[in-house]
Amino acid sequence: MATQSTSEPGLARLLPEDVDTEQVLIHGGLVLSIFLMGLPLLLALIMSTQNTTEVYQITNVGIGSEGLSNYGTVLGEYNFGQYMLNSVVMSVIIVIGKVTLSLFAALALVYYRLPYERAVFMFILLTLLLPVPVRIVPLFDLMARLGWGNTLMAITGPYIASATAVFLFRQHFMSIPDSLVENAHLDGVGPLTFLWKVLIPMSRGMIAGVSVITFIYAWNQYLWPLIIMSDQSKQVVQVGLRFLQAASQSGLTRWGIIMAGAVIALLPPLAVLIVLHRPLLETLAIQQK
């Protein structure tokens, strides 16, 4: 008489009967993924505490002897605080300008009867195919003709318009019930009042999500500020990191200094992401619809 096989997977035999093997595998995979994604940041934190000799010792993965002195050196000797301030000002201006312009554009697309409305919207989306790095030569020529070179207008102006933000606000406005619009018409509410008192309060989560995405995008700008800004004191933090590479000791790059600068540069977008992570997730959820 043949016997029925009762063999089980190896992991299941090692775990208690009341433990779900599938859940263990899922959580184990998540922990491993988080560790792998966080490993570069962990190494940067460790290297930011080491001196040049310790950094070049590959087997040395412990806390270094410099402690927080590398951070003081970056902020004190390399003017990194000024680069951070320049980046904050640039990012805030881009966020305010992009959100404001996108709100007006979405208002016009959703609540006004425009000729060739769909063609206009498709044309706006087509601008996604032409990011700033692709237009960098004509943009540089335009800024030079306008006399905006080496100014705050030059590093913020090209980023004020955003097809992605217009698309997100348009989709959100289209989900708002038409009854609100009809009531506003009956009450004699103008378009700007309707935007300010109805649409913006109902879009706070979306505005916060778009602001987070825009802030991080603006904060990470490197190529355009490097080209258009000739004054080093007006540069942004990403270009300032490039300046830190000139720091050397006995012919060796001072990676401890560079990593300290990288960690400092990471803090503002990380803080924004932590504070506003819920509206950001809501925004991404709408993108998936």
Side-chain angles (χ1 to χ4, degrees):
M1 180 177 175
T3 58
Q4 186 178 0
S5 174
T6 59
S7 62
E8 296 179 345
L11 181 60
R13 286 181 296 179
L14 298 175
L15 296 173
E17 293 182 356
D18 57 343
V19 176
D20 190 339
T21 307
E22 184 179 355
Q23 291 298 319
V24 171
L25 291 174
I26 291 174
H27 284 84
L30 289 175
V31 171
L32 179 62
S33 300
I34 293 172
F35 174 75
L36 292 177
M37 287 188 290
L39 188 58
L41 178 59
L42 179 62
L43 291 176
L45 285 171
I46 292 174
M47 291 175 68
S48 68
T49 65
Q50 296 178 337
N51 59 34
T52 305
T53 304
E54 292 169 339
V55 168
Y56 279 89
Q57 294 173 351
I58 300 177
T59 57
N60 187 357
V61 291
I63 302 298
S65 59
E66 293 293 329
L68 298 178
S69 64
N70 282 339
Y71 292 90
T73 302
V74 168
L75 293 173
E77 297 182 14
Y78 292 94
N79 202 24
F80 213 69
Q82 183 64 48
Y83 302 144
M84 294 280 288
L85 178 61
N86 295 339
S87 281
V88 170
V89 173
M90 178 191 71
S91 301
V92 170
I93 291 176
I94 290 175
V95 168
I96 294 174
K98 185 172 289 189
V99 169
T100 303
L101 190 61
S102 301
L103 282 172
F104 282 120
L107 176 73
L109 288 172
V110 175
Y111 296 106
Y112 284 85
R113 295 292 175 264
L114 303 174
Y116 307 107
E117 174 187 328
R118 190 169 183 81
V120 171
F121 179 58
M122 293 305 296
F123 178 77
I124 293 175
L125 292 183
L126 283 176
T127 59
L128 290 172
L129 302 177
L130 295 171
V132 170
V134 176
R135 297 173 278 135
I136 208 157
V137 173
L139 266 180
F140 184 86
D141 182 63
L142 176 63
M143 294 298 149
R145 290 174 183 272
L146 293 174
W148 288 1
N150 198 33
T151 66
L152 191 59
M153 291 292 293
I155 57 174
T156 57
Y159 295 99
I160 293 298
S162 169
T164 304
V166 172
F167 170 76
L168 291 173
F169 285 133
R170 175 182 178 271
Q171 297 303 108
H172 179 66
F173 288 172
M174 291 177 69
S175 67
I176 293 177
D178 294 335
S179 58
L180 287 176
V181 183
E182 295 172 358
N183 290 335
H185 278 302
L186 293 176
D187 294 338
V189 176
L192 293 181
T193 305
F194 181 68
L195 174 66
W196 180 253
K197 293 189 175 180
V198 178
L199 293 181
I200 290 180
M202 295 184 67
S203 308
R204 286 175 180 168
M206 177 62 67
I207 293 173
V210 172
S211 298
V212 173
I213 297 172
T214 303
F215 184 87
I216 295 175
Y217 175 76
W219 185 268
N220 290 328
Q221 291 306 313
Y222 171 76
L223 183 59
W224 178 243
L226 177 65
I227 292 174
I228 199 64
M229 302 297 284
S230 57
D231 191 342
Q232 184 171 333
S233 64
K234 296 181 179 179
Q235 276 297 355
V236 297
V237 68
Q238 304 298 339
V239 182
L241 282 175
R242 178 68 180 82
F243 295 149
L244 292 182
Q245 290 189 5
S248 62
Q249 186 178 50
S250 302
L252 300 175
T253 302
R254 298 178 68 181
W255 287 107
I257 297 292
I258 297 173
M259 289 303 163
V263 172
I264 294 173
L266 179 66
L267 296 179
L270 182 62
V272 171
L273 195 60
I274 291 174
V275 173
L276 300 175
H277 69 282
R278 290 189 182 279
L280 176 62
L281 292 177
E282 293 174 1
T283 304
L284 295 177
I286 288 178
Q287 280 185 295
Q288 294 173 356
K289 290 181 179 178

